[in-house]
Amino acid sequence: MIIAVDVYYEENKAKSVGVIFQCWEDSKPHEVIVSYTENPHEYETGFFYKRELPCIQELMKLTDIDQIHTIVVDGYVYLNNEKKPGLGHYVYTNFSGKIPVIGVAKNTFRDNEAFVKKIYRGNSSKPLYITSVDIDLADAAQHVQSMYGEYRFPHLLKLLDMQTKEARQ
């Protein structure tokens, strides 16, 4: 199974969502999981992972981690050409470096070309920026490229984004 994760913040709470699917080409999720974190860590410039990682850790407790073979994060694995760790790398090390992580970002970082592959989907002239750890970057990019949907952002990642921002039930 593959899980794509994202976190959305409102006031003093965070909503974490995981969209679980079996194959990169799937049009529907196998399962959608949700967790809430009260009073998440405050945002610190340059330390985004400190805010996001604890929320993802709580979310992942709702899965059978042994069934997950890839984690997709909204963001970067590496932030620059010197491999400064980004959220994806911290997620990877959190799981003892046993589950490959693919980062999918909508915007570029300056001085971050060496470990990023741009992909273009649909008719968009704007790329997605793919990074990865423990999976070949070209393979990671091909997986995201092959995801279901005709637009720039793959259907299941768009679903994840919408679920994450949906009002708390």
Side-chain angles (χ1 to χ4, degrees):
M1 298 284 197
I2 305 157
I3 185 167
V5 297
D6 197 8
V7 182
Y8 183 74
Y9 301 92
E10 280 185 12
E11 297 175 22
N12 293 327
K13 61 187 169 201
K15 178 182 182 184
S16 306
V17 177
V19 171
I20 301 171
F21 50 104
Q22 294 181 23
C23 301
W24 292 102
E25 298 82 9
D26 285 356
S27 62
K28 296 178 184 170
H30 173 73
E31 183 179 5
V32 176
I33 58 174
V34 179
S35 70
Y36 296 93
T37 304
E38 299 297 326
N39 301 309
H41 191 280
E42 291 294 319
Y43 175 74
E44 289 181 57
T45 303
F47 298 97
F48 176 65
Y49 75 92
K50 287 184 178 182
R51 185 171 201 203
E52 197 105 339
L53 185 59
C55 300
I56 294 171
Q57 289 170 323
E58 284 303 308
L59 177 72
M60 295 299 281
K61 290 177 182 177
L62 303 175
T63 69
D64 179 355
I65 198 68
D66 293 329
Q67 298 299 310
I68 303 295
H69 65 75
T70 308
I71 300 171
V72 179
V73 298
D74 179 16
Y76 282 89
V77 172
Y78 298 113
L79 300 176
N80 63 22
N81 293 334
E82 286 74 46
K83 284 194 166 180
K84 179 181 179 183
L87 174 64
H89 194 271
Y90 287 103
V91 169
Y92 176 72
T93 57
N94 180 74
F95 293 102
S96 303
K98 294 181 180 176
I99 304 172
V101 175
I102 298 173
V104 179
K106 298 175 205 101
N107 299 303
T108 188
F109 265 39
R110 187 170 33 136
D111 299 323
N112 190 16
E113 302 84 30
F115 302 103
V116 175
K117 181 137 178 84
K118 295 179 191 178
I119 64 168
Y120 296 85
R121 290 178 37 93
N123 293 325
S124 181
S125 60
K126 195 170 179 190
L128 291 174
Y129 301 90
I130 310 301
T131 52
S132 65
V133 59
D134 201 22
I135 181 172
D136 181 75
L137 181 57
D139 291 340
Q142 181 54 43
H143 288 318
V144 177
Q145 185 76 50
S146 72
M147 290 181 77
Y148 178 81
E150 59 187 69
Y151 300 107
R152 175 180 180 236
F153 216 53
H155 175 72
L156 290 179
L157 299 185
K158 182 67 173 167
L159 174 69
L160 172 66
D161 186 60
M162 289 173 17
Q163 291 281 325
T164 306
K165 293 175 183 167
E166 188 175 86
R168 185 174 183 167
Q169 301 294 320

